Amino acid sequence: MTAMAASASRPTAKKALAALVFASLADAKFLQMPFTSEFDNFGSGTYGPDGPWHAVAALLGNLKRESHLVPLDGPLVSLWPTAASMSAVHSTEAGGTYDTTRSGNATKPFAQIKEASFQTSENDVATIFRFAELNSNHTSGGFMVVDAMTFTNLRFEEPGYANVQATTYVMNSSVINYPNNRAFKPTVGILGFGRPSDLSFRGTSILVQMKEAGLISSSSFGLHIASVPLRQRGSLILGGYDQSRVIGPVGVFDKTTGFASTYLKDVSVGFEADSEFSWEEQSVWPNPVPDEASRVASTRFMQPDKNGIIAIPNPAVPGIYLPSPICANAAKQLPVVWKEDLGYYLWDTSDPRYDIVMNFGGYMAFTFLDSQDTNITIKVPFKLLNLTLEAPIVDEPALYFPCHATNSHNTGVWELGRAFLQAAFFGVNYDTNVTFLAQAPGPDMAQSAIQSLEPEDRNMAGMPVAAFVNSWRKQWPELVIPDSKSTLSSGALAGIVVGGLVGVGLLIAACWLFWRQRQRRRGSEQLSDSETKSVSELDSGSREDARECPYPEHPFVEIGDNTVMELDSKNYSEAPSSPGVYEMPADNPFVDRERDRDKEKEKEEEREKENEKEKEEESQK
């Protein structure tokens, strides 16, 4: 009766679980944007010549989209997602795909931007973007417009899209110059999620528009650039974040200007765990406060101690830009060679230390002091800092270390680009004016678990610290890492539980079949009164037979009716891989073993009968 009741309740339980899942999806207000490496129609999906990198994709200048089932319409643009207060795209004149004359939604240009113009005033329309141009040797020129932009939701549930008006810098000229007198025309632009009002731009924040439309819970985003060479998918959630991309404590920095700034106070190099090389973590930080601008910026933006610098997480630039001599001090500890003509450190792959650094858990650590006076350390494994230079920078591909000594250009601010953001989670909640920074996982990370950020949220939940090492185990084959506490997501754990229950059921069935067949083979004449009773009343001999089945004495466990798992309305986890349905092999080892034993017993009985018969015949003689 109990089994029948449990069986009858399963459909109801499944319907209830499905209802909870769909209710969770309905309540969760976020949009997950796709990266270019995930779709073939975006071309190769990766970009260089200093990566490889992937970007996010959007449609610009198209008419409003009414359903995700409607074919895409309008020029597709690839963009680096940033906290800048404006977006930037390349026009067809600069080798891009955008043409304002073919857009029915673009405003007339309201500002002209000349090449190489740069001002430190916060009200300059090009300030944030031009700061990125300085560190990456990028020059551009063009004009400002406001135009329609469409985002697609990677999950493809309704509405599956978002139509916004984006304040956009249209570049009619754009080129990156390198120290060896070579040049490169980039094709990836910038997607700015900041508030134009912060820097007196015309237009409204993209995130504010989406929040007012009821598409996302808050004016916020969570970003993890991730690693293309290690085949790790990027993550960009509007109105929330992916909890699997956040490890350990989260740095929270008050946002006082248009910049999403952090306070960096130390940089070091080391190994993840003890090894035969005994290379302890060493700071490469010479307390750099190189000029008055840096001191003014530190006091103005963060007001912490006097030994750090302001650093902006900026996906618009490729490298890590720090005051001198931090990169040079780090390079002394590494198998790298400085190439003056290129302006890059190249990895010396012939140096025996190269394999040690890459395979024994080598990393570069960045320590920040957040607004709560908490130290947050983010480790960037050297496997992520082993990037590739390609043409036109070099004739043949070369591996490089993306650390660059630079000055603040009288701003007192430095940048942490895509190389750093491969290993760091970066987010902003504009409703509470905070910037988030945390350790991100390696390629073998936990399942996605997306959380909505509410307008009042000033913090977020992350994975246990052990998740970092666990996500890098396969990438550090030469490093012996002690087992640590499981960091599986709830979905993965649920999958394991289901798989375990399936295994339990199969073993129980095997034991039952074995017992049933044995009883039938013996026949009713071999059954004693005790053997016809319940399993719990088996005599000692029967108990010994039962113990031949390699399973506990009490395998039957009833699942209580109150074992119901509720889903957090703000939490959506991707379903784990379905646990396989395992069939019992045709040759059951439990049955075969008993069959062989019975045959051997029958042969022994026949031999005994023959011996008795021979003895009788001899006695008669």
Side-chain angles (χ1 to χ4, degrees):
M1 291 294 292
T2 303
M4 293 178 63
S7 176
S9 66
R10 283 171 192 154
T12 302
K14 288 181 179 179
K15 289 180 180 179
L17 181 59
L20 286 171
V21 170
F22 287 115
S24 176
L25 284 173
D27 293 339
K29 293 183 179 180
F30 54 79
L31 186 143
Q32 182 176 2
M33 292 193 65
F35 278 72
T36 54
S37 55
E38 298 173 15
F39 299 98
D40 291 336
N41 62 322
F42 291 156
S44 66
T46 59
Y47 301 92
D50 47 19
W53 314 106
H54 48 197
V56 298
L59 296 170
L60 186 62
N62 61 308
L63 297 176
K64 280 193 174 182
R65 197 176 181 204
E66 300 299 335
S67 170
H68 70 286
L69 300 177
V70 175
L72 299 177
D73 179 30
L76 185 72
V77 291
S78 300
L79 306 163
W80 310 124
T82 75
S85 296
M86 67 176 180
S87 298
V89 299
H90 295 87
S91 70
T92 53
E93 187 176 341
T97 59
Y98 179 62
D99 184 354
T100 54
T101 62
R102 299 182 61 183
S103 172
N105 298 284
T107 64
K108 293 182 178 180
F110 60 85
Q112 294 290 329
I113 300 177
K114 298 180 180 180
E115 288 189 12
S117 66
F118 180 81
Q119 300 176 14
T120 58
S121 169
E122 288 184 9
N123 293 323
D124 179 20
V125 295
T127 297
I128 292 182
F129 183 67
R130 281 300 163 83
F131 184 76
E133 286 187 335
L134 287 172
N135 283 330
S136 60
N137 295 317
H138 183 198
T139 59
S140 66
F143 54 88
M144 301 288 297
V145 299
V146 176
D147 201 354
M149 187 177 286
T150 299
F151 303 147
T152 298
N153 193 341
L154 185 60
R155 296 184 181 277
F156 292 105
E157 69 263 14
E158 287 289 356
Y161 63 92
N163 297 305
V164 297
Q165 294 292 315
T167 301
T168 305
Y169 170 32
V170 182
M171 292 177 282
N172 282 335
S173 62
S174 175
V175 63
I176 297 176
N177 296 289
Y178 298 98
N180 58 357
N181 295 322
R182 298 192 180 190
F184 170 69
K185 289 187 176 181
T187 58
V188 182
I190 290 177
L191 177 57
F193 290 123
R195 295 173 297 210
S197 58
D198 284 346
L199 297 180
S200 299
F201 287 4
R202 183 182 301 183
T204 305
S205 164
I206 289 172
L207 297 175
V208 168
Q209 294 176 59
M210 294 178 65
K211 177 185 173 184
E212 292 178 347
L215 300 177
I216 58 178
S217 298
S218 61
S219 302
S220 64
F221 72 87
L223 170 68
H224 176 211
I225 288 292
S227 170
V228 171
L230 298 183
R231 303 182 66 83
Q232 187 178 22
R233 293 176 61 181
S235 174
L236 174 59
I237 312 297
L238 308 186
Y241 66 101
D242 187 343
Q243 185 175 345
S244 69
R245 308 288 179 138
V246 181
I247 294 178
V250 179
V252 180
F253 303 86
D254 289 330
K255 186 173 176 295
T256 58
T257 70
F259 296 114
S261 52
T262 66
Y263 188 72
L264 179 64
K265 60 178 294 186
D266 195 13
V267 177
S268 57
V269 293
F271 284 104
E272 177 55 36
D274 292 337
S275 69
E276 58 184 291
F277 304 100
S278 299
W279 182 14
E280 297 182 357
E281 185 171 301
Q282 300 180 23
S283 174
V284 294
W285 186 271
N287 293 326
V289 185
D291 52 32
E292 182 63 25
S294 178
R295 286 187 286 271
V296 170
S298 296
T299 302
R300 179 182 180 189
F301 292 153
M302 310 297 293
Q303 297 181 357
D305 58 49
K306 298 180 180 180
N307 295 324
I309 61 172
I310 300 300
I312 300 176
N314 187 6
V317 295
I320 300 171
Y321 304 91
L322 299 170
S324 177
I326 297 175
C327 293
N329 289 346
K332 294 176 182 178
Q333 311 293 329
L334 303 172
V336 296
V337 178
W338 173 252
K339 293 294 185 180
E340 186 70 31
D341 58 332
L342 291 176
Y344 289 94
Y345 288 101
L346 300 186
W347 288 100
D348 183 359
T349 57
S350 64
D351 191 319
R353 295 179 299 163
Y354 175 78
D355 288 332
I356 295 172
V357 166
M358 296 299 166
N359 298 321
F360 280 85
Y363 62 79
M364 192 171 185
F366 297 76
T367 301
F368 301 84
L369 182 68
D370 74 357
S371 299
Q372 284 75 43
D373 292 330
T374 302
N375 285 332
I376 304 295
T377 297
I378 294 176
K379 296 178 180 178
V380 185
F382 285 118
K383 279 209 167 186
L384 298 178
L385 302 179
N386 189 25
L387 298 169
T388 303
L389 295 177
E390 299 176 312
I393 304 176
V394 291
D395 294 327
E396 298 293 334
L399 300 177
Y400 80 103
F401 172 54
C403 193
H404 305 274
T406 184
N407 61 55
S408 68
H409 307 290
N410 295 321
T411 64
V413 178
W414 281 261
E415 292 182 293
L416 304 173
R418 295 188 292 275
F420 171 81
L421 293 170
Q422 294 177 105
F425 170 86
F426 166 47
V428 178
N429 187 347
Y430 291 96
D431 291 332
T432 51
N433 281 324
V434 293
T435 297
F436 302 110
L437 198 66
Q439 180 72 62
D444 298 311
M445 59 187 186
Q447 283 187 308
S448 175
I450 298 180
Q451 306 276 1
S452 293
L453 268 176
E454 298 304 318
E456 68 276 7
D457 286 345
R458 289 181 56 87
N459 212 326
M460 55 180 59
M463 303 291 288
V465 174
F468 174 72
V469 173
N470 290 342
S471 68
W472 281 99
R473 288 177 183 271
K474 293 181 181 178
Q475 300 297 326
W476 291 331
E478 304 299 330
L479 181 63
V480 178
I481 305 174
D483 289 336
S484 55
K485 187 177 181 180
S486 173
T487 58
L488 292 174
S489 65
S490 58
L493 289 174
I496 292 173
V497 171
V498 173
L501 290 175
V502 171
V504 169
L506 292 174
L507 284 173
I508 291 173
C511 292
W512 182 84
L513 288 172
F514 154 70
W515 179 82
R516 177 89 175 188
Q517 189 163 349
R518 182 177 179 84
Q519 302 309 319
R520 287 181 176 178
R521 187 181 296 110
R522 286 186 175 183
S524 59
E525 71 276 7
Q526 296 179 351
L527 290 175
S528 64
D529 292 341
S530 63
E531 288 175 317
T532 61
K533 296 180 181 180
S534 65
V535 176
S536 62
E537 297 176 7
L538 287 173
D539 61 16
S540 60
S542 298
R543 287 181 182 273
E544 291 177 359
D545 290 339
R547 290 194 181 104
E548 290 178 347
C549 177
Y551 202 75
E553 292 180 306
H554 306 287
F556 300 93
V557 180
E558 294 185 2
I559 299 178
D561 294 335
N562 61 347
T563 56
V564 179
M565 296 178 62
E566 294 186 0
L567 296 178
D568 185 347
S569 62
K570 291 173 60 179
N571 187 345
Y572 172 73
S573 299
E574 293 180 358
S577 300
S578 175
V581 178
Y582 301 96
E583 296 183 357
M584 292 297 291
D587 298 326
N588 191 319
F590 299 118
V591 178
D592 292 344
R593 183 176 61 182
E594 188 60 28
R595 185 189 300 118
D596 294 341
R597 189 175 298 170
D598 289 344
K599 288 182 179 179
E600 186 64 30
K601 187 175 181 179
E602 290 175 359
K603 291 181 180 179
E604 183 66 25
E605 291 176 351
E606 290 178 358
R607 284 195 294 268
E608 290 179 356
K609 289 180 180 180
E610 291 177 357
N611 291 336
E612 291 177 357
K613 186 176 181 180
E614 291 176 356
K615 289 180 181 181
E616 289 179 358
E617 290 176 353
E618 291 178 357
S619 62
Q620 291 176 358
K621 292 179 181 180

